[in-house]
């Protein structure tokens, strides 16, 4: 019987095509959802209770309010900082630039639900918002080459953790994360690039 040899190697941005990029995105989000679900089960908590719909709109206002503040800060940073200081290696541009709007909406929804379940629902429950935010920043490895985006990811994560604590609902950080990813994705989709 012949053994299957799997070789893992880091792919550079110029080696990625659209199919491989989407494959990696959905694979990592699936793993994030699986790890988050298993972690919550080991905590002897009910995953479905985390997704219980809130009784009031305060969760929506917390999520939208933080999203508006974070988008404003992000806009200011992009105006003040040199473009290379905010560089993610071109991954976000490649992901969203030619994507249909419906697919951007799907990506934003999937990423916000999967990541918030793991980071706010599972990890923050165990380690609190500070250590969760450090891990969240490290997981977003494409930003680690520059301290400003890494710091911004940390602060954004801490904000998401804060509104989760304030509302007691996972929906507040999910809404915030979704709105940020959606607007950022749409901005990249409709941005005019110089040839």
């Amino acid at each position: 019987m012949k053994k299957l040899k799997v070789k893992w190697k880091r792919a550079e941005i110029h080696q990625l095509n659209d199919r491989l990029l989407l494959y990696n995105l959905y694979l990592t989000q699936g793993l994030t959802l699986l790890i988050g679900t298993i972690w919550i089960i080991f905590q002897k908590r009910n995953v479905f209770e985390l997704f219980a719909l809130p009784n009031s709109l305060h969760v929506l206002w917390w999520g939208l309010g933080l999203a508006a503040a974070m988008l404003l800060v992000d806009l200011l940073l992009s105006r003040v900082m040199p473009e290379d200081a905010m560089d993610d290696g071109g991954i976000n541009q490649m992901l969203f630039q030619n994507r249909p709007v419906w697919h951007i909406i799907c990506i934003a929804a999937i990423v916000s639900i999967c990541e918030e379940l793991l980071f706010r629902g599972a990890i923050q429950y165990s380690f609190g918002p500070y250590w969760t935010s450090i891990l969240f920043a490290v997981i977003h490895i494409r930003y680690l080459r520059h301290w400003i985006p890494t710091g911004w990811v940390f602060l954004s994560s801490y904000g998401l953790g804060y509104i989760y604590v304030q509302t007691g609902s996972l929906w507040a950080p999910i809404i915030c994360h979704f709105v940020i990813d959606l607007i950022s994705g749409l901005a990249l989709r409709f941005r005019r690039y110089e040839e």
Side-chain angles (χ1 to χ4, degrees), residues 51-175:
F51 289 106
L53 293 176
N55 295 332
S56 70
L57 291 178
H58 80 285
V59 168
L60 178 67
W61 301 129
W62 274 99
L64 292 176
L66 181 60
M70 289 168 67
L71 287 166
L72 181 62
V73 169
D74 195 49
L75 179 66
L76 291 172
L77 282 174
S78 69
R79 297 282 189 243
V80 174
M81 300 306 300
E83 193 170 325
D84 66 328
M86 301 298 285
D87 183 31
D88 73 338
I91 298 290
N92 286 338
Q93 180 180 336
M94 188 175 174
L95 182 62
F96 294 114
Q97 184 176 1
N98 298 313
R99 194 80 44 219
V101 171
W102 69 266
H103 202 172
I104 294 172
I105 294 168
C106 289
I107 289 170
I110 290 167
V111 169
S112 62
I113 290 169
C114 294
E115 290 187 2
E116 293 311 314
L117 177 71
L118 175 62
F119 287 96
R120 257 45 71 186
I123 297 173
Q124 183 168 315
Y125 184 83
S126 296
F127 300 112
Y130 177 78
W131 291 107
T132 300
S133 298
I134 288 176
L135 183 59
F136 192 77
V138 169
I139 292 295
H140 287 78
I141 197 164
R142 66 185 185 270
Y143 296 111
L144 292 179
R145 293 181 295 141
H146 303 290
W147 67 272
I148 294 171
T150 301
W152 180 234
V153 169
F154 171 83
L155 290 173
S156 300
S157 176
Y158 198 84
L160 292 166
Y162 178 79
I163 65 172
Y164 179 47
V165 169
Q166 293 302 308
T167 63
S169 173
L170 195 59
W171 285 108
I174 288 173
I175 290 167

Side-chain angles (χ1 to χ4, degrees), residues 27 44 65 82 182:
L27 177 66
K44 297 183 174 28
L182 177 64

